[in-house]
Amino acid sequence: MRARLGWVIGILLAAVVVLPAAVIAWQMLRHEEAGVAPPVRDRNAQLAQGRYLARAGNCMACHTARGGAEYAGGRPIATDFGTLYTSNITPDKATGIGQWSADDFWRALHHGRGRDGRFLYPAFPYTSYTRMSREDSDALFAYLQSLPAVVRTNQPHALRFPYDQRVLLALWRTLYFSPGSYVPDPSRSAQWNRGAYLVQGAGHCSACHSARNGLGASVAPLALAGGVIPALDWYAPALHGGELALGRWRDEDLAALLKTGVSARGATLGPMSEIVGRSLQYLEDADIAAMAAYLRTLPPVAANHLPPTAQPEPAEAERIMKQGKRLYGDHCADCHGGRGQGSAPDYPPLAGNHAVADAHPVNAIRAVLNGGFPPSTTGNPYPFGMPPFGPQLSDQEVAAVVSYLRNSWGNQGGFVSAAEVNRYRSVPLD
């Protein structure tokens, strides 16, 4: 009996201690492909390419604190595990990446490891950037090195135990990360492959538009089935070609949304407005068209639904719909029309709008409570905004009007409760 007990304890110790230690050692010592740095024939062209890629990846948005110097880091990134602070990526030699080489930078993008070999937290989306080519990595690095150096010491992350133990990322990487550059699909067009490269790589769309598991890893990232943005409580909708995503969109409408923030089918609010305003509007029309063409070919996948909320009894549902219809007539119909048809592009339609009828009601609730604006872009320099109704409507009234929107004009989104509205009454986080 004692021998058997000792054998069981030994197996448990191996599982709990020896195996994780072996995985950590393997991750730390494994050979990393360095990549071949292509020759640079035109320095100015390389810098222009790097600047374009920085815009495509929206690098400045994350690596610039509010009111701070561009690319000097310090912006807090709230997660379910604590708060991370972005790093200084200006060429300052003491506090930035001024002592980095192009190989060091490639290692960070492609392998998710810093110049000192430490594992990088995947809030830095190297899980997407790994698909970028060495040429694009070098161009982006050259551009960052051309920026003014800013002295700003990186702020330590504020993560809970055990997530503050960086070495444990070796276990996470074993489960969820495998480096690999984008490989073109020869059966697809050059346009499709360009769109796939941008969406999967520099654009890192899966960082928001995929659900995450309990350890923060994207679930089926290439499916882009939609997901809640951690700590922001905004829902990034599905981007595949299914009927409940982009299947009914025309390429030109999707391209207009990506480029200008508004289209005949809808408008951007919340975090996506920042992406369009700071990043996508600066991309070439051909690249926007390529991204749209790629996204609409993605096969439909099951949506990432929240647990269903309790729906009211028929009599109560009728009362809510009557109240919601009255509130809609008082506050919404002048812009969005009596039948929810809207007046695109200034006032998006609500009928058939998946952002309104999606199983995740958070975006519709946020829009009614807090209002919002599409971004100011070259294609839409003076956007029409939506005023916030949170100060004048109660939780129950907001729930009624949102429920009316989600169950009218062919929408079948279900009812929302006053408790759900109250949860989202705070202004969205930075």
Side-chain angles (χ1 to χ4, degrees):
M1 179 64 70
R2 290 181 179 179
R4 181 176 297 177
L5 180 60
W7 179 80
V8 171
I9 292 175
I11 293 295
L12 291 175
L13 286 175
V16 175
V17 178
V18 178
L19 182 59
V23 170
I24 291 171
W26 171 70
Q27 281 284 354
M28 295 182 70
L29 300 175
R30 66 183 298 188
H31 173 71
E32 295 175 344
E33 178 263 323
V36 179
V40 179
R41 296 182 175 85
D42 187 332
R43 173 69 173 175
N44 290 331
Q46 185 190 45
L47 290 175
Q49 180 183 2
R51 182 174 185 270
Y52 185 80
L53 290 165
R55 281 273 175 76
N58 201 21
C59 303
M60 187 173 70
C62 282
H63 287 276
T64 304
R66 179 172 292 182
E70 295 180 358
Y71 295 100
R75 179 171 179 172
I77 305 295
T79 74
D80 293 336
F81 316 105
T83 302
L84 297 106
Y85 295 90
T86 57
S87 58
N88 183 346
I89 56 172
T90 73
D92 180 67
K93 293 186 180 299
T95 63
I97 59 172
Q99 296 190 49
W100 286 43
S101 67
D103 288 342
D104 295 331
F105 192 74
W106 164 260
R107 190 184 194 193
L109 264 62
H110 191 71
H111 294 287
R113 300 185 70 163
R115 180 171 180 262
D116 57 4
R118 292 191 303 168
F119 300 130
L120 300 178
Y121 283 100
F124 171 64
Y126 60 82
T127 51
S128 295
Y129 293 159
T130 187
R131 292 178 172 83
M132 293 176 63
S133 68
R134 178 61 194 255
E135 179 182 5
D136 279 352
S137 174
D138 287 356
L140 179 56
F141 177 70
Y143 171 69
L144 294 175
Q145 291 293 296
S146 74
L147 298 173
V150 178
V151 178
R152 189 188 188 284
T153 302
N154 291 325
Q155 185 170 346
H157 302 313
L159 298 172
R160 302 191 310 275
F161 181 84
Y163 308 108
D164 59 348
Q165 303 300 304
R166 194 183 291 259
V167 69
L168 296 181
L169 286 171
L171 305 176
W172 188 94
R173 292 163 63 93
T174 300
L175 294 172
Y176 304 117
F177 175 62
S178 180
S181 299
Y182 177 76
V183 178
D185 184 344
S187 69
R188 297 286 191 169
S189 67
Q191 182 193 49
W192 186 95
N193 277 291
R194 176 63 176 172
Y197 176 74
L198 289 170
V199 168
Q200 295 179 20
H204 61 284
C205 302
S206 65
C208 292
H209 291 273
S210 296
R212 293 182 180 270
N213 63 22
L215 292 177
S218 293
V219 178
L222 298 186
L224 297 175
V228 175
I229 303 174
L232 291 184
D233 277 332
W234 276 90
Y235 181 69
L239 296 181
H240 56 70
E243 287 296 298
L244 297 180
L246 302 176
R248 298 181 182 179
W249 286 61
R250 299 180 301 171
D251 283 350
E252 53 265 37
D253 291 336
L254 180 54
L257 185 75
L258 296 176
K259 184 78 172 180
T260 69
V262 295
S263 76
R265 294 300 303 264
T268 63
L269 294 176
M272 190 62 191
S273 284
E274 178 180 333
I275 300 296
V276 173
R278 294 188 176 187
S279 173
L280 294 177
Q281 71 159 316
Y282 298 104
L283 299 192
E284 297 173 358
D285 290 345
D287 279 345
I288 291 291
M291 294 172 69
Y294 166 70
L295 290 172
R296 293 191 65 249
T297 65
L298 292 178
V301 293
N304 296 302
H305 291 310
L306 290 171
T309 57
Q311 297 300 291
E313 296 295 329
E316 178 65 6
E318 182 179 0
R319 184 196 68 77
I320 292 172
M321 289 294 286
K322 286 182 179 179
Q323 182 186 23
K325 183 177 182 179
R326 176 180 59 79
L327 290 167
Y328 179 84
D330 292 343
H331 301 290
C332 316
D334 286 348
C335 293
H336 292 286
R339 300 183 305 279
Q341 75 274 18
S343 180
D346 296 330
Y347 306 112
L350 302 177
N353 189 322
H354 296 306
V356 173
D358 196 275
H360 295 258
V362 54
N363 292 4
I365 294 172
R366 287 283 201 198
V368 174
L369 284 174
N370 303 317
F373 279 84
S376 176
T377 60
T378 301
N380 186 40
Y382 305 108
F384 285 74
M386 179 171 171
F389 292 100
Q392 62 189 107
L393 298 181
S394 68
D395 292 345
Q396 195 277 329
E397 288 173 322
V398 172
V401 72
V402 172
S403 294
Y404 175 73
L405 300 178
R406 288 166 55 80
N407 293 279
S408 299
W409 320 301
N411 293 340
Q412 298 179 357
F415 288 72
V416 300
S417 67
E420 287 179 280
V421 173
N422 184 262
R423 173 185 173 188
Y424 300 118
R425 185 166 278 278
S426 63
V427 175
L429 299 173
D430 180 17

